[in-house]
Every structure is written in C-alpha cells, then in structure tokens.
Amino acid sequence: MIILGIETSCDDTGVSVFHSEKGILSNVVSSQVKLHAQWGGVYPDLAAREHTKNIIPVLDNALKEAGIDLLDIDGIAVTVAPGLIVSLVIGISAAKALKWSLKKPLIPVHHIEAHIFAIFLSEEVEFPFVALVVSGGHTELYIIKGFEDYLYLGGTLDDAAGEAYDKVARMLGLGYPGGPIIDKLAKEGKEVIKFPRPLLGEKGKNRFNFSFSGLKSAVMREIEKKIYRKEDIARSFQEAVVDVLVGKTVDAVEEFGIKNVVVAGGVSANSRLREKFLKEGKRKNFSVHFPPLYLCTDNAAMIAYTGYRRLKEKGTTIGYDFEGKARLRLDRFVQYINQK
Ligand code: KG4
Ligand code: ZN
C-alpha cells in the first residue's frame, strides 16, 4: 500500500510517500526557517503564502524522488490539527483536491499523534508508553495505550518549550530557531543561576502541566542585569527546562508504572534533554526512545505513516465536510474524526 502524506501545519511544507513494505520512499520538506528568522518566530500570513507557492513543487519532488506516479497511490493522509489555521487549510485543500480527482481515500491525521508515531519508522516500541511531545508549538504529556487509545495527562499553560527556547534566544540576540543555538552555546557555559523549575513537584491539577513564561521573564531579568555571560545564561535556562521536562515525564512513568518513554517533536533533538533522559532511564529502569533527528522536526513522513496505520488498523477515512482545527487535543481528535 502506498500513502501520500501532506503536512502544512506550521511553517514547513512537507510531502512524503510511504510504502507499507519498503518504508519511506521520499520525504520532501521545504523549510521557511530563513524567511521567518527576521521575526524571531513564525509569521502566519507569510507561512500561508509560502505554502501556497510551495505545495505543488514539493508534491512533484516527492513523487519524483519516490519514483512513482500520482495514480499509484492508495490514499492521501493530511494534517487536520493542530496548527496555524491559515497554514493547515492549504494542505487540507490540496488533499481534498487530490481525493476528488483521484477518487482515493482521504485519511485525517493529528500533528502531535504523527510526531509520536514517527518513532515506529525507526524502531518498535511496546505499548503502553509515556509520550512527551515538545516542539515550537506544543508541550504535552500522554499515555499511549495503543493506536487511537490516548490518555491526556497535561500540557503547557502558556509557552511551549520550543517557544521558550526561541524567545530566550531572541532576548540573547542569538537568532532563530533558538533551540539548536542555545543547545550548542550551553555546552560552553555553567549553571551560574538557579532558575525556578515551574510546576515541577506540583501535586494538584497542575501535576502534569507545564508553564514556561515565568521562566522566560526570569531569564530576561538576568539578561538586563548584564552580569553573566550568554553561555552561562543559556546553560542555566536549559538546565531548568530540561529538569522540568524530564522530571514530569518520570513522575508519569512512576505513577502509571510504565516502562517505555517516547520523546518527540523538535525539542527532542536537544542534546542535554537526551542525556538526562537516558541517565534517568537507567536509574529508574525505563527505556527512552527518540526518533532520528530528521523525523523529530516537522515532516510529512510521519503524517503518511500515521495515515497508513489509521487506514490499516481502523479503516477510518474522511469526506469533504471537515475543516482544519487550530486547537484540538489528540484524545478529542479521535472522537472528532469518528463523527465525520
Ligand atoms: O517540531 P518542530 O520542528 O516544529 C513545531 O511543530 O513547532 O519544532 C521546532 C522547535 C523550535 O522551537 C526549535 O527551537 C526547537 O524545536 N528545537 C530545539 C532544538 N532543535 C530544535 N530546542 C532545543 N534544542 C534543540 N537542539
Ligand atoms: Zn511539529
């Protein structure tokens, strides 16, 4: 079976061809990162305009690289939620047009779900597992009991972890996206400031929720004092973020007695996060799985694969009567597509 995946939820235009026996045949991503660098973040109208320009050339390249004809595909998978609405609708419109012209099934995919299931493109992980999804737009913790069997534990109350990285990098005058730059710079610094670990150790309703905006303001105050080197501020900030992400995931592992953890999304590329997770896993006897780097950041291979799984395991397809959803939690998405 051959599934075409389309991803336009944020600033990357992605199209991929997944073959059920041969794996990923192509995974083309047109990144707008340079374009958005001047804003220090994604500028939605610009993102939408670029998707409109890029979607057909990216589709063409993905088919060429895969060495297949459009008529060879058995289904089209597309990101329906969450994301920038002006970006989502471009991919959805392209997918609907393909469904209409090819008369092939259309399969809805949730962006966070795809980030999580990307792991299966590189290795098998046993259910249940705890999934931490950390990217520019999301910081969420789930228990994944099986395909479409998701328990939401918590998420960020304000900024996403990647967003905090991007904002701190901008405050330090380091460029965009900030995550990889801070990751690198922090290696040369020391934890000279003990920043707060927001909501870590919380027992009530915020036990599995996150909050990074207060931390960002604390970093700003230190930058304004002009006492510490950028390297040391980067290191101190990163230690706080990583402690919270690892700490909350370990709390979930312990509370639910789970043995496997999957860490996904752009921030899962972070070297310190990986190091601390592996160390804690050894200490507390759970195994940690990270998708390879090219599958951590936004891509359409994860969409094509998740769509393939949805079609194979659940037989779920969708007609034309649906729209993109800027915010829709993964557990509620499953209900949404089953009503359509
Ligand atoms: O998943 P992704 O490509 O796009 C979204 O869906 O947001 O994630 C992008 C985010 C950006 O905020 C970027 O700064 C962050 O991931 N990121 C990192 C690293 N590499 C990318 N954050 C921390 N350390 C990294 N090495
Ligand atoms: Zn993403």
Side-chain angles (χ1 to χ4, degrees), residues 137-292:
H138 312 280
T139 301
E140 288 177 12
L141 205 51
Y142 284 92
I143 294 189
I144 308 294
K145 299 182 210 164
F147 190 69
E148 291 196 3
D149 193 355
Y150 312 135
L151 176 68
Y152 176 80
L153 295 182
T156 184
L157 302 175
D158 40 61
D159 292 352
E163 193 179 354
Y165 265 97
D166 294 337
K167 286 180 177 169
V168 166
R170 190 164 54 181
M171 289 173 343
L172 287 168
L174 296 174
Y176 173 84
I181 308 173
I182 291 190
D183 190 3
K184 199 164 159 224
L185 195 67
K187 292 198 170 94
E188 291 149 38
K190 286 204 180 74
E191 192 184 9
V192 293
I193 312 152
K194 192 82 181 169
F195 283 120
R197 270 60 175 161
L199 302 184
L200 187 60
E202 189 87 10
K203 290 282 175 269
K205 67 177 186 350
N206 283 330
R207 178 155 169 61
F208 294 118
N209 283 337
F210 302 84
S211 166
F212 293 108
S213 85
L215 173 61
K216 179 190 67 192
S217 309
V219 173
M220 190 68 213
R221 285 192 292 277
E222 290 301 334
I223 295 173
E224 280 166 358
K225 286 185 197 160
K226 295 196 170 93
I227 299 174
Y228 301 109
R229 298 185 312 149
K230 286 185 181 182
E231 293 85 331
D232 295 335
I233 292 177
R235 176 68 188 247
S236 306
F237 162 74
Q238 176 156 285
E239 288 302 309
V241 174
V242 167
D243 271 357
V244 172
L245 295 177
V246 175
K248 295 231 170 211
T249 308
V250 171
D251 287 348
V253 162
E254 291 183 330
E255 182 163 327
F256 294 91
I258 289 175
K259 290 280 159 225
N260 286 309
V261 170
V262 170
V263 189
V267 182
S268 69
N270 187 268
S271 62
R272 185 69 177 136
L273 185 73
R274 289 182 173 225
E275 185 183 25
K276 270 213 170 151
F277 257 124
L278 293 172
K279 199 169 136 204
E280 280 303 289
K282 254 192 202 144
R283 220 161 66 86
K284 303 222 155 128
N285 200 25
F286 61 88
S287 62
V288 195
H289 308 264
F290 301 93

